Amino acid sequence: MRKPLPIILLFLIFLLSCEKINIPKNYPTTYKKLDSATLSQMRSSFATINPYMTTSVNDFGFCDYYGDPLNVGTPPLQSPITESVATGIVKTFASRNQLQTGIPNTDDLTFHSISTTTGYGGAISWHFKSENQRIDTIEVVYSMILFHLTNGVVTSCYGNWFPQIEIPSRFNFSQKEAIASLNGKVVSHYSFAGTEYTVKISNSDLEKSTTNLKIFPISSDDKIELRVCWQINIPMPVYYLIYIDVMTGKIVSEQPTIIS
């Protein structure tokens, strides 16, 4: 007959299990919805500092829609400016409105694309699309910011970075464990006609996947949580991108990478 495990061994197993799921109190980094008085004051101050802005700030105090384009004018015409000058104007705006853009250091602000157009009445516009924010080498997904200039003045800003993001010093779930947890998972695709078909993830599919460490913002009505995740990109025939929290081991987002 098999002998029962010694009590001390059971206790050690229990301790290891507890350690495995231990989550620091400051994880995930969370930004909470502002109270109405604070938000009203921030929007008023933002409009005063930036009188030609057609956008404002959202419930968390970051640059977003919520503006009133009917109540602002168009900056006066001026001579065309160079890309270098326009870039400097954007960075000055980001620095002057640091709370609303969430950019702690404009030296880190780089751009994915820059373009210019001429609009009604000869108004000259510049359009800047930033790169995603990075904390060291870890990318914060969906953190691109769009800046729009009219006649040398920033007139709209959508999106934000986050001034503070905590990265746990130790992860509860390794890259290998995150990948293994997806073996046998079933994912869904939909045709243009709305017909669903499913694909079951196999071990061979996972062997072909690529994995990166990312920070994934999860927004709800009252807060934004910044979760550190393993981003697992599974190629054909699965065609899925799945984010797994490094601390909880749970899937925080999953999405197809093709349109059927």
Side-chain angles (χ1 to χ4, degrees):
M1 184 175 67
R2 180 182 295 177
K3 293 182 179 180
L5 289 172
I7 293 178
I8 190 169
L9 181 55
L10 289 173
F11 181 68
L12 287 172
I13 293 173
F14 172 77
L15 286 179
L16 289 172
S17 176
C18 291
E19 183 180 6
K20 181 70 174 180
I21 60 173
N22 180 53
I23 299 176
K25 291 182 178 180
N26 62 348
Y27 182 84
T29 300
T30 302
Y31 288 86
K32 296 183 178 180
K33 180 179 177 178
L34 300 177
D35 63 80
S36 58
T38 301
L39 185 58
S40 178
Q41 176 59 40
M42 180 176 283
R43 285 175 173 167
S44 176
S45 176
F46 185 73
T48 299
I49 295 172
N50 308 285
Y52 291 108
M53 289 293 289
T54 61
T55 59
S56 186
V57 298
N58 59 24
D59 291 345
F60 303 96
F62 294 124
C63 288
D64 209 332
Y65 295 96
Y66 302 93
D68 190 353
L70 298 179
N71 285 339
V72 298
T74 301
L77 284 172
Q78 63 169 310
S79 300
I81 58 176
T82 64
E83 180 178 312
S84 176
V85 171
T87 300
I89 292 170
V90 168
K91 290 198 171 189
T92 297
F93 169 86
S95 177
R96 188 174 64 238
N97 299 278
Q98 190 176 95
L99 286 177
Q100 294 83 5
T101 62
I103 301 173
N105 184 359
T106 57
D107 289 340
D108 297 329
L109 181 61
T110 57
F111 300 99
H112 174 73
S113 65
I114 302 174
S115 62
T116 185
T117 57
T118 301
Y120 179 77
I124 301 170
S125 298
W126 282 91
H127 314 278
F128 287 76
K129 182 185 296 184
S130 81
E131 299 283 1
N132 279 338
Q133 180 182 9
R134 288 184 179 273
I135 304 299
D136 293 327
T137 60
I138 308 176
E139 181 183 26
V140 183
V141 299
Y142 307 130
S143 58
M144 176 185 66
I145 307 177
L146 301 177
F147 301 91
H148 177 84
L149 280 71
T150 304
N151 297 332
V153 179
V154 176
T155 51
S156 68
C157 178
Y158 308 99
N160 65 275
W161 285 4
F162 297 95
Q164 184 67 33
I165 302 177
E166 296 294 333
I167 309 296
S169 59
R170 178 180 177 184
F171 298 162
N172 286 336
F173 291 86
S174 67
Q175 175 180 327
K176 184 177 180 180
E177 290 172 316
I179 294 172
S181 71
L182 299 178
N183 190 20
K185 176 178 170 59
V186 176
V187 297
S188 295
H189 289 276
Y190 293 87
S191 68
F192 285 112
T195 303
E196 180 185 15
Y197 68 93
T198 59
V199 181
K200 185 175 183 180
I201 301 174
S202 68
N203 189 57
S204 60
D205 294 326
L206 293 170
E207 288 176 349
K208 294 181 290 185
S209 68
T210 56
T211 306
N212 290 288
L213 195 60
K214 303 286 184 177
I215 297 169
F216 194 97
I218 301 178
S219 298
S220 62
D221 289 340
D222 62 344
K223 63 184 177 182
I224 302 172
E225 293 182 342
L226 299 170
R227 294 196 171 265
V228 183
C229 296
W230 295 114
Q231 179 202 64
I232 303 171
N233 191 350
I234 311 171
M236 65 176 298
V238 180
Y239 292 116
Y240 244 73
L241 195 63
I242 300 177
Y243 294 86
I244 297 180
D245 193 307
V246 301
M247 301 306 291
T248 67
K250 294 181 179 180
I251 294 174
V252 300
S253 178
E254 52 184 296
Q255 59 202 58
T257 54
I258 60 166
I259 300 176
S260 304

